[in-house]
Amino acid sequence: MIIIHNRIIPFRKYEAINVLGILFCRKGVTITTDLIQHERIHTRQIFEMGMVGFYLWYIIEWLIRLPMKGHAYSNISFEREAYQNMHDPNYLLKRKPYAWVKYLRKANK
């Protein structure tokens, strides 16, 4: 995974953003194995959905979850899968294609 540290991308509230397997990190962010695993899960999701499909679905799901209870970002199915499994270094070896779909049903409270 290519990692680019900078002061602009992503927005201040976020530590990193994955664009086609290239990880943009804010200056000063500590790169942990959990962060790398989280972003590798996103990379797999991106390649499953295609770049346009992934980002389009991400934005639409975020917009749908905005009025719902809880924080829209943390309730996005892609994020829920990545956060729940980022501590498991073997997750991607056993992950089934489109595993994020099972995270659509229940949102975090």
Side-chain angles (χ1 to χ4, degrees), residues 91-103:
Y91 177 69
L92 289 172
L93 298 173
K94 59 189 175 190
R95 180 187 183 268
K96 293 182 180 169
Y98 298 94
W100 58 270
V101 170
K102 73 178 183 181
Y103 295 91

Side-chain angles (χ1 to χ4, degrees), residues 4-10 14-15 24-30:
I4 300 173
H5 291 272
N6 68 89
R7 296 180 193 277
I8 300 168
I9 303 171
Y14 302 98
E15 294 180 343
F24 292 89
C25 295
R26 303 262 326 156
K27 286 252 184 213
V29 168
T30 302

Side-chain angles (χ1 to χ4, degrees), residues 47-103:
F47 283 105
E48 284 175 346
M49 299 281 296
M51 182 179 75
V52 173
F54 174 84
Y55 291 108
L56 186 61
W57 187 281
Y58 194 104
I59 290 167
I60 289 169
E61 190 173 344
W62 179 76
L63 289 171
I64 289 169
R65 294 189 185 281
L66 269 177
M68 294 178 173
K69 194 174 191 175
H71 191 269
Y73 164 79
S74 60
N75 283 322
I76 295 170
S77 56
F78 297 130
E79 294 299 340
R80 293 179 64 219
E81 179 190 9
Y83 277 111
Q84 186 169 332
N85 298 290
M86 68 187 204
H87 307 295
D88 180 356
N90 297 313
Y91 177 69
L92 289 172
L93 298 173
K94 59 189 175 190
R95 180 187 183 268
K96 293 182 180 169
Y98 298 94
W100 58 270
V101 170
K102 73 178 183 181
Y103 295 91

